[in-house]
Amino acid sequence: MGRLKLQTGINAIEEEPEECENSNSNKATLACMINSEIGAVLAVMRRNVRWGGRYISGDDQLEHSLIQALKALRKQIFSWQHQWHAINPVLYLQPFLEVIRSDETGAPITGVALSSVYKILTSDVIDRNTVNVEGAMHLIVDAVTSCRFEVTDPASEEVVLMKILQVLLACMKSKASAMLSNQHVCTIVNTCFRIVHQAGTKDVDNTESTLVNGSDTVKQETGGTNNEFSFGSRTPENGNLSSDYDSQPLSTNFTSNAETVIDENIVMAGSGKEAVPYDLLQMTEPYGVPCMVEIFHFLCSLLNVVEHMGMVSRSNTIAFDEDVPLFALSLINSAVELGGPSISRHPRLLSLIQDELFRNLMQFGLSMSALIVSMVCSIVLNLYHHLRREVKLQLEAFFSCVILRLAQSRYGASYLQQEVAMEALVDFCRQKTFMVEMYANLDCDITCSNVFEELANLLSKSAFPVNCPLSSMHILALDGLIAVIQGMAERIRNGSLSSELAPVRLEEYTPFWMVKCENYSDPSQWVPFVRRKKYIKRRLMIGADHFNRDPKKGLEFLQGTHLLPDKLDPQSVACFFRYTAGLDKNLVGDFLGNHDEFCVQVLHEFAGTFDFQDMNLDTALRLFLETFRLPGESQKIQRVLEAFSERYYEQSPHILANKDAALLLSYSLIMLNTDQHNVQVKKKMTEEDFIRNNRHINGGNDLPREFLAELYHSICKNEIRTIPDQGAGFPEMTPSRWIDLMHKSKKTAPFIVSDSRAYLDRDMFAIMSGPTIAAISVVFDHAEHEEVYQTCIDGFLAVANISACHHLEDVLDDLVVSLCKFTTLLNPSLVEEPVLAFGDDTKARMATVTVFTIANRYGDYIRAGWRNIVDCILRLHKLGLLPARVASDAADESELSADTGHGKPITNSLSSAHIPVIGTPRRSSGLMGRFSQLLSLETEEPRSQPTEQQLAAHQRTLQTIQKCHIDSIFTESKFLQAESLLQLARALIWAAGRPQKVNSTPEDEDTAVFCLELLIAITLNNRDRIVLLWQGVYEHISNIVQSTVMPCAHVEKAVFGLLRICQRLLPYKENLADELLRSLQLVLKLDARVADAYCEQITQEVSRLVKANASHIRSQLGWRTIASLLSITARHPEASEAGFDALMFIMSDGTHLLPANYVLCIDASRQFAESRVGQAERSVKALDLMAGSIDCLARWTNEAKEAIEEEEVAKMSLDISEMWLRLVQGLRKVCLDQREEVRNHALLSLQRCLTGIDGIDLAHGLWLQCFDLVIFTMLDDLLEIAQGHSQKDYRNMEGTLILAMKLLSKVFLQLLQGLSQLSTFCKLWLGVLSRMEKYIKAKVRGKRSEKLQELVPEFLKNTLLVMKTRGLLVQRSALGGDSLWELTWLHVNNIGPALQSEVFPEQDSEQLLQKPGESGVSMVPDEMGSVTSNETVSLEGTGTVG
């Protein structure tokens, strides 16, 4: 076998000789050790006179048998030849064990003998392979547990007891411990328990420690499936237990008593078949599960308070010595900790926990001892961890009847109890899935209470300091709340957010109490299942509320929500009564007792929902009558009890002969209950009276006396409450309720175990968010320590995270509103220096950083909260605390780089690295400016340096604002969700307020300007979503523009912001171009004083806009706005140059002229031409622009012919004709200008436009319009001006009239061929003659013009000759006959009487008969102003109309 392992000290001094030498050395070593132990025992024995002398037995003097045995062993040990494992241990243990057993030895001797056995056990001499190891181990246990000794003094007694525990512990730790039987392990435990109470208060700690150490050995040695059973402890307070156990002295035989104690407690505490002890055969097998069950049962029995101590009726507290329960609870706790989930594999152990243990924990949970309550809560926490699948309803009962009662002072709990309960609750809350599982398993179960909701409300309320300072209890509750919400936030951070859950709806009726889930471990199935159940539960609660007001309407409501069938059936109504909390029990009782047939059917169905299996009659009756109030009328009572008796007899007949017996006995119990507990009944019924009253009711026979006596005493001790609670508060756990709970636990749905996904977090958070935010806010408000602040801030951020991820916008808004109050930024400034006050206020700074952290991280889901955030920003702006870039447009880096100035980088202008040098800042409203003002306050002795405190406060303020990243809210607004962005814009508009025409302070205007800057910034940052923002932005700017009557920064920012928006967005939003450009019409609505002040800058901006975006403006509407803006500038001295520059950009070479803007540009050009602002040269350029545009008309005509169909060509031709007419009309107006140069140039330009129309198709009728509206009108107006105005106003009108007459002659001759075809040609021709006649007679400066006298006849002669050659002027011709001929000469003779003979001499009479077009043109005179032959040819070739 090799050498034995000895103690460390022995091994340390060993060398490494050959194997046989090692073996011999080991043998000798062990022999020496035993020899020394024998010597030690003998030495102590000899100190006593009794053992030092010789005993006289007859004639011989002999030593005492104990000494002889030891000496005999001493002789043998060195002579044994075999290895130690081959030697029977009994040989060398027996003498020591005899000493231990002997009642003649004193405590010192027994103690030394125990030490010797302990040494042998711990030397590893005995192991599994040792001969007769089983017998040896049994012998040791039997001897030690039946140890006897004489007690001489308390100290020596304590030593012996301690050594007994050491030996028992060594037995359990020994390699041979596996040979111990179940019975021996039970005996060891029982001995340890006895020693605890034998020793009293002297050494409980060490004793209990022994049990803990022993439990580890049990755990290791049982192995396999048994290794989970063990027990341990925590150190309790010392104390004595005056129980029956102390009546038996320790000096008696422990083994037999151990059996007795355990068996007694099994009988005492057990109920039903679980309590049956294991048989003798199992108990003698090597130890394993049976001994664990027995020990656990024994420990549970120590908690059986009702049996051991008795409880005051309806008392919430347990008042007795706490040692025993603490001892038991601590060991039970260790057993659960070490056993873990494996306990569930052993039904008897599990049954003990589910029933007896939990029942006792419910009682001890209400103990006045904080230690006991704490231990109970620790056990329940361990049970939750390991066995929650098996103790669902027990957990519900524990929280409802213990935690929720203890944690609130209104139920009479002391502060200590409240604190322990709250600590326990917070421990539970720190378990990541605890609240989720409570919600899924209990709140979503119609038969269970809303534990999650109650716990969340409890935590919220407990965190509220009401009329008192903040205490540790408030902080504790806050920790619990924050643990819950941080658990939710963590599930989100894990990336485990479940998909959006659809709202639950019930489309049709299904029995709500029958709904089942296919698979409780598959989230895809149980999540919708529990959400449906919760929906049903909520609806049932609403239905209960309706029912309590009007039963009929309540049932109708439930039918409407598909929870009851359209045609009511008894079962569904019965289940509604049975499973709905909050019903008025009086109404339920009246309904069930009603004689109506339907009500009777409901009553029987209602009774059928109860499980009375194996239940005592009084217990069943208590449970039945707890659910409603028993009606007062005897007939109703009878009906109710009949239904109850029928159900009870059906399930638990027991010794009852029939249901009538059950009915009569139930009646009798009700009467007894009234008799015993009604104060008006003076003479109470005795037990004999009760038994006598119930004779012959069991089918003519008597019921057993013991049975009736038990019922009698049960009713006497515990009243059946016929007026049950209406559900207010939390119930007590009565024995009958516990029995019912155990029945329900067998049928309840499986416990749902949640994982790390956020399946139900949204629903849960919606329930608890409001109270949670309120609670955290109140604590934050009352707190004074920074660590509490930080806890609250963590909570706020977790709430924000959850709200955002689950799209709970209202919750996030509430949070923002609450937080903004703590920033102190919304409070009216009462302090002299708010900047320094802010720097000194840690809470305000932390709140401010949190608000802006939420705004930056979760802005997508902020709605109304933006108003508060904007208010904070405005307050910081007023204090000069904002970074320079907050209102800048991040999309325009070029502007930023130009605007930052001083070579500073484009970053936050606040620096926390150092306190800047105090000097003149770039912006006096900035933070540095604000700080420098602080240093130069108006005092007699200005401070040159701030104090250290002020510097520190200033530095903290800098750092706080830097952490806020306020600019990111606006520069990153392009990532905000649409609705949030819209709300942010509305908040800015709201904060700016409607501009006031009067009574607005500079501060108000500054605020309004700043808001507008921010609004424009987010508008520019969101060009892709301009449609969303545009309406609000436009209306706001419109209000500003139309309500401002004097120049100011506000209207300036509005106007130029609008222009900037248009400049930036036009290239990207062609579909919005019209809308954007139409908005610029606001500029036209500016008050005259305002417009005048900003006209030049506006024009420059418009010019920039046009040059950058001309190609993007396509509609007439857009161009109309541009043209209007440019036209206005024509008469403004400063602005006209920029305006004309923009117009030239559009019209030069026709680059940006379009059919859409042609007429508008012509009108604008006309206005510039007419404008007296600037040099005449610019007017001339404007006329050139107008005249040059004729080429565009020709080009468009050609393009139209090539590109589009005939119908479209006709329409386009009509449009072009209209444009041309507008062009010449515009030029006509400029022809009347006072300035000679402009006037004459306009005439030439008009002539060019009337004659240079190659490629433009103009209708005949249009020319008639042209002559009437343009040429004739212009001639008339010029003549009127020449005759009616002085030379000073219109210089050299004579030259203008000559040019006008030339224009008339040229245009008429060029168009003659086409015009001659018109039916109204005669009228047109007479109009020409009429104007010539007027002009020749015109007086310029009071006298007729010689030049006109000379030129007009020449023009007329030339015209007549052309008409003659064309055959138009012929006597009796088809075109007009004699009338045209006669009328012509009538006018001609007034102008030049000799013209007729010159044009038609007699020798030319033959030519009068020639056809038109055949005659030559050589006869046309070539004088000044006449049309030459070449010109005539040209006119004939190209000047036709149509």
Side-chain angles (χ1 to χ4, degrees), residues 1382-1394:
E1382 292 167 1
L1383 288 172
T1384 299
W1385 296 120
L1386 187 64
H1387 282 281
V1388 170
N1389 289 333
N1390 289 336
I1391 298 168

Side-chain angles (χ1 to χ4, degrees), residues 771-934:
T772 299
I773 293 173
I776 300 175
S777 299
V778 171
V779 174
F780 191 61
D781 191 26
H782 285 70
E784 296 176 356
H785 300 290
E786 197 163 333
E787 58 270 22
V788 182
Y789 296 161
Q790 191 56 53
T791 302
C792 294
I793 294 298
D794 292 342
F796 285 134
L797 289 174
V799 169
N801 186 8
I802 300 163
S803 306
C805 291
H806 292 300
H807 301 187
L808 296 167
E809 292 87 356
D810 292 345
V811 177
L812 195 55
D813 285 339
D814 290 344
L815 174 63
V816 169
V817 169
S818 184
L819 262 175
C820 284
K821 293 174 186 172
F822 295 116
T823 63
T824 69
L825 298 173
L826 304 186
N827 307 338
S829 182
L830 302 175
V831 290
E832 185 179 349
E833 274 304 326
V835 176
L836 294 182
F838 183 76
D840 288 328
D841 191 340
T842 304
K843 186 187 296 184
R845 286 184 285 108
M846 290 179 82
T848 303
V849 172
T850 308
V851 165
F852 289 108
T853 300
I854 290 171
N856 277 304
R857 284 188 196 168
Y858 312 116
D860 277 341
Y861 305 99
I862 297 175
R863 300 291 181 264
W866 280 122
R867 287 192 176 191
N868 299 74
I869 293 171
V870 167
D871 282 344
C872 290
I873 293 172
L874 293 179
R875 178 67 177 152
L876 291 171
H877 172 67
K878 288 175 186 175
L879 296 175
L881 295 176
L882 286 184
R885 267 194 61 179
V886 166
S888 63
D889 171 20
D892 191 351
E893 293 298 331
S894 60
E895 283 188 36
L896 284 176
S897 58
D899 192 46
T900 49
H902 296 279
K904 292 182 182 178
I906 309 169
T907 57
N908 194 322
S909 64
L910 299 178
S911 168
S912 60
H914 62 279
I915 295 289
V917 177
I918 294 162
T920 305
R922 185 165 59 88
R923 288 180 57 190
S924 62
S925 62
L927 178 54
M928 297 301 100
R930 182 75 184 162
F931 194 55
S932 63
Q933 291 169 21
L934 160 72

Side-chain angles (χ1 to χ4, degrees), residues 439 442-451 453-454 457 506 512 532-551 553-555 557-559 561 563-564 575-585 587-588 726-730 767:
Y439 181 76
L442 304 179
D443 289 56
C444 297
D445 189 331
I446 58 172
T447 62
C448 298
S449 54
N450 292 332
V451 170
E453 201 165 332
E454 296 288 357
N457 286 336
L506 297 181
F512 59 84
R532 180 183 174 87
K533 292 281 278 192
K534 184 62 179 175
Y535 174 83
I536 291 171
K537 192 173 184 179
R538 283 202 184 102
R539 288 286 163 180
L540 286 173
M541 296 291 282
I542 298 169
D545 195 45
H546 285 291
F547 180 87
N548 292 344
R549 289 198 294 268
D550 183 333
K553 287 184 179 176
L555 296 176
F557 169 80
L558 291 167
Q559 287 175 295
T561 54
L563 288 173
L564 292 179
C575 289
F576 167 62
F577 290 156
R578 180 75 168 96
Y579 300 119
T580 305
L583 285 171
D584 185 325
K585 295 183 178 181
L587 291 175
V588 176
Q726 289 290 346
F730 301 102
I767 292 170

